[in-house]
Amino acid sequence: MKIRLFFTIIFTLASKIRAECSRGNCLPCSSSCQNCFSTSQDSCISCPQNYYKSNLNSSTCVQNCEVGEIQADNQQCIKCQIVGCIKCDSKQNCLQCSPNLYFDKVNNECSLKPKICQSEQDFIQEPFTKQQCVNTCPSSYYPNQKTQICEKISQCIQINDSPPLLNEKVLQLNSLHQDYYLIRANSCYFALVDQNFQIIYIEIFQNMPDFQIKYMNTGEEVQQKSFIFEEYGGCLANNSIKVMNFITKQIVFEKTDLDQDYFVQYIDYQNKIVFFNQKSICQIAWYDLIQYKFTTFGCGQTPIIGIFQIYILNKTNYYIQISVYSYQQSVEFNYLV
Ligand SMILES: *[C@@H]1O[C@H](CO)[C@@H](O)[C@H](O)[C@H]1NC(C)=O
Ligand SMILES: *[C@@H]1O[C@H](CO)[C@@H](O)[C@H](O)[C@H]1NC(C)=O
Ligand SMILES: *[C@@H]1O[C@H](CO)[C@@H](O)[C@H](O)[C@H]1NC(C)=O
């Protein structure tokens, strides 16, 4: 496939707003937005006082976060990461578990209460209030033996019993060719496991002794330093990028001494592109999983806070959001396939 690549820096969104301002009176944002990129209520860039950015819908502001979310200091609704937790604090300590679960304070976990299910071997399924007990979890759920909960595989899970031990918290799990799962865990740990969650092999990229100090806070990566996509796994620690095909066990791409310490910002699953960001300047990079190609794009000094994409026919436009305070700095670039 031939890829043509070009950039245009157009102030598309800004000019749209300016058009609405042409008679000297700018149209106001919806009352639920502080700053916005259009007048509708799902175009918020930041939220007014006492409103919070929705967790499900990041360009919408809500007055109350959903059950199982907290209102974080940066005016965002953040999900409680602990499975089954309906109330947590900003440090992800659970304060209350869903009915039918009890709180295990030592491990900061919610577990199935005894005698809720008929068999002690059963697992409870979401929604936990419904007392649905099963002895095997449905597909795309993982049976957590310790808490006896069927956990969604996109949530944080712990694999406890399979030797060799994966002693990092599992963040993501991808099904590969029906027979295997590729697992991404904290600190750029990857594992290929079979359907019974027996580990076939573990790969640790950038086994940095100071990974935790540099990139983590209270057990969570502050910025996402690794990704998986189909059979590929990649890590961005230590100003480098390394990508492996976990079926062939080949390193398909590696680059060290990058000018920035990138983290994963956004994945375009359709075009198979993983976008990276960093905190200091206006610069993104992306890795093209079809071409095995790493590209950077700079746009000044103000750090980028978001990337989103819009499909128009066979073309994808990517937009970079530069500032929370002003919609007038949106940059558009095109990446044509
Ligand atoms: C996001 O918010 C908009 C406007 O409030 C709403 O129309 C849309 O359904 C929401 N999407 C989701 C996934 O909640
Ligand atoms: C981090 O990168 C530097 C420079 O490339 C290299 O010398 C060092 O060995 C790397 N550290 C680890 C843990 O990979
Ligand atoms: C988009 O599709 C149309 C019709 O199939 C084609 O003529 C055009 O060249 C395509 N554009 C690009 C940029 O691939």
Side-chain angles (χ1 to χ4, degrees):
M1 195 183 316
K2 201 161 175 229
I3 292 195
R4 201 149 55 87
L5 175 63
F6 70 90
F7 303 107
T8 35
I9 297 184
I10 321 171
F11 297 97
T12 313
L13 301 178
S15 58
K16 187 171 160 198
I17 296 287
R18 258 192 240 116
E20 290 173 346
C21 286
S22 56
R23 282 180 213 137
N25 277 331
C26 288
L27 291 180
C29 293
S30 144
S31 62
S32 66
C33 303
Q34 174 82 31
N35 288 300
C36 56
F37 54 85
S38 90
T39 54
S40 78
Q41 61 177 16
D42 57 354
S43 312
C44 303
I45 290 170
S46 62
C47 300
Q49 231 187 349
N50 300 325
Y51 278 78
Y52 299 86
K53 268 202 172 179
S54 156
N55 174 49
L56 285 172
N57 207 339
S58 63
S59 56
T60 307
C61 298
V62 293
Q63 268 180 300
N64 296 300
C65 298
E66 301 284 318
V67 173
E69 294 177 355
I70 45 157
Q71 302 178 342
D73 296 338
N74 56 355
Q75 279 188 283
Q76 290 200 355
C77 297
I78 296 189
K79 210 168 157 48
C80 294
Q81 297 292 333
I82 295 136
V83 177
C85 183
I86 53 173
K87 223 184 219 174
C88 62
D89 68 16
S90 59
K91 297 212 167 78
Q92 291 295 344
N93 295 306
C94 188
L95 304 173
Q96 194 187 339
C97 295
S98 178
N100 297 324
L101 306 178
Y102 71 91
F103 181 49
D104 168 0
K105 202 168 175 182
V106 177
N107 294 311
N108 193 30
E109 269 176 350
C110 297
S111 293
L112 176 61
K113 279 183 186 164
K115 304 211 169 82
I116 294 291
C117 295
Q118 279 186 338
S119 158
E120 279 177 25
Q121 263 62 274
D122 278 355
F123 298 91
I124 191 164
Q125 254 185 299
E126 281 182 295
F128 303 119
T129 46
K130 284 208 167 156
Q131 208 173 331
Q132 296 179 88
C133 298
V134 290
N135 68 37
T136 43
C137 293
S139 70
S140 83
Y141 283 80
Y142 159 75
N144 186 326
Q145 305 287 345
K146 200 158 144 222
T147 60
Q148 289 187 273
I149 290 176
C150 291
E151 292 182 9
K152 248 208 194 100
I153 55 178
S154 60
Q155 288 172 333
C156 300
I157 57 170
Q158 294 279 4
I159 293 184
N160 294 304
D161 306 322
S162 345
L165 264 156
L166 180 67
N167 48 16
E168 288 288 339
K169 183 153 134 188
V170 173
L171 303 172
Q172 198 185 350
L173 187 146
N174 264 10
S175 173
L176 291 186
H177 308 311
Q178 321 236 305
D179 300 322
Y180 303 106
Y181 292 104
L182 178 59
I183 285 173
R184 179 174 76 85
N186 268 342
S187 307
C188 288
Y189 272 58
F190 297 90
L192 192 69
V193 302
D194 66 16
Q195 281 185 317
N196 302 315
F197 293 92
Q198 294 298 310
I199 292 178
I200 298 163
Y201 69 95
I202 285 185
E203 196 70 44
I204 307 161
F205 287 177
Q206 307 296 359
N207 197 1
M208 287 170 74
D210 57 347
F211 190 101
Q212 199 146 350
I213 297 162
K214 231 175 140 179
Y215 301 120
M216 291 174 71
N217 184 13
T218 61
E220 306 289 333
E221 282 177 17
V222 179
Q223 263 94 27
Q224 186 181 333
K225 295 299 281 186
S226 60
F227 63 89
I228 51 179
F229 188 100
E230 295 170 356
E231 66 265 42
Y232 298 100
C235 172
L236 291 149
N238 197 27
N239 290 59
S240 67
I241 173 172
K242 188 171 179 179
V243 184
M244 183 168 175
N245 179 327
F246 277 83
I247 297 293
T248 62
K249 280 194 168 186
Q250 302 267 313
I251 300 290
V252 295
F253 189 82
E254 187 164 19
K255 201 168 158 80
T256 53
D257 300 315
L258 298 176
D259 61 335
Q260 300 289 339
D261 203 358
Y262 290 102
F263 54 85
V264 177
Q265 175 78 50
Y266 177 74
I267 300 180
D268 176 351
Y269 287 95
Q270 186 159 336
N271 294 318
K272 303 197 180 186
I273 299 169
V274 187
F275 286 92
F276 313 117
N277 194 4
Q278 42 67 52
K279 280 185 285 191
S280 47
I281 54 172
C282 186
Q283 181 165 312
I284 55 161
W286 61 91
Y287 180 70
D288 183 326
L289 284 150
I290 300 169
Q291 297 252 308
Y292 299 149
K293 199 169 155 214
F294 181 83
T295 312
T296 58
F297 174 68
C299 42
Q301 291 307 313
T302 318
I304 292 165
I305 58 167
I307 298 172
F308 57 99
Q309 67 183 92
I310 293 171
Y311 292 108
I312 303 163
L313 299 174
N314 48 359
K315 187 174 121 184
T316 305
N317 284 351
Y318 300 100
Y319 294 87
I320 302 168
Q321 187 190 335
I322 297 173
S323 162
V324 272
Y325 302 109
S326 163
Y327 44 75
Q328 294 188 350
Q329 292 184 48
S330 297
V331 174
E332 174 196 311
F333 68 99
N334 297 316
Y335 187 80
L336 289 186
V337 182

